[in-house]
Amino acid sequence: MAINFIREHEPEEGYFVGFSGGKDSIVVLDLVQRAGVKHRAYYSATGIDPPELVKFINEHYPYVIQKRPLFRLPRKYPDWKGTRSFYGMILVKGFPTRTQRWCCDKLKKDPTKDAPFSHRILGLRAEESAMRAKRKNREYIKYLKQWVYKPIFSWLEWEIWDYIESNK
């Protein structure tokens, strides 16, 4: 069903596939590849990911395009010309909290804003949170002018692990 969903919505320019190296994005990338649709996978290299994860991505997914964030700091800070540091941004934005989640935008979304795709596939699942469960497996994000597709939206965690074990 997931492969059919991917094929059914294939855009002419292809899909942007969001990749984090986690179990859900590994499964989504594999499904996209099995579907045989045009796509490019992107990883937002946050600079705070565990080194084991970065090594895993580099070894097993070298074709995934890696993008790094670039923050602009006000002149009153010593490295005002720009930083690629999450920790440097804490000086400006403060620590991220449940209500002030600037880090996801700056570390994960902003680095791939220039990717030339208006159709994105992500490994988001309803089971992960009550807020996500209220959303749909396909939605248009007006302010981004992008379609977001979630082919594994209804999958449970055990189904993800079963898929990974079954497909090596």
Side-chain angles (χ1 to χ4, degrees):
M1 286 174 37
I3 288 173
N4 287 336
F5 175 83
I6 292 165
R7 287 177 179 156
E8 177 183 330
H9 297 98
E10 180 183 9
E12 189 175 315
E13 77 271 13
Y15 287 113
F16 166 106
V17 180
F19 188 80
S20 68
K23 65 186 184 317
D24 297 336
S25 66
I26 288 170
V27 168
V28 166
L29 182 55
D30 188 71
L31 289 167
V32 168
Q33 290 169 339
R34 289 174 188 266
V37 297
K38 186 176 177 184
H39 70 281
R40 283 217 177 127
Y42 289 84
Y43 164 60
S44 292
T46 65
I48 58 171
D49 289 328
E52 299 84 0
L53 175 66
V54 175
K55 182 181 177 189
F56 173 78
I57 292 170
N58 289 334
E59 286 180 8
H60 299 282
Y61 299 92
Y63 52 87
V64 171
I65 299 164
Q66 297 191 21
K67 304 288 261 178
R68 294 193 56 83
L70 178 60
F71 302 112
R72 299 277 179 219
L73 297 178
R75 290 180 185 254
K76 68 180 182 178
Y77 295 98
D79 59 350
W80 65 271
K81 291 181 182 175
T83 179
R84 292 179 181 262
S85 169
F86 164 79
Y87 303 104
M89 281 306 293
I90 290 174
L91 294 172
V92 179
K93 299 278 192 179
F95 286 99
T97 66
R98 186 175 55 83
T99 57
Q100 297 283 29
R101 298 190 57 186
W102 61 264
C103 55
C104 289
D105 287 339
K106 294 294 181 190
L107 296 175
K108 294 184 176 187
K109 295 178 184 175
D110 285 358
T112 59
K113 273 186 179 177
D114 63 344
F117 297 94
S118 59
H119 296 264
R120 296 184 174 221
I121 288 189
L122 304 175
L124 299 175
R125 294 183 300 111
E127 181 185 43
E128 293 177 305
S129 77
M131 289 296 290
R132 284 188 181 174
K134 292 177 184 176
R135 309 213 50 182
K136 297 180 180 178
N137 68 346
R138 180 180 74 131
E139 55 190 342
Y140 184 73
I141 311 297
K142 285 183 185 180
Y143 76 95
L144 294 173
K145 298 179 181 163
Q146 296 175 345
W147 280 97
V148 176
Y149 304 90
K150 304 167 222 167
I152 60 167
F153 189 69
S154 63
W155 289 31
L156 302 175
E157 185 175 7
W158 72 265
E159 292 173 298
I160 296 292
W161 288 115
D162 188 55
Y163 183 92
I164 290 170
E165 289 177 23
S166 298
N167 293 285
K168 299 181 180 11

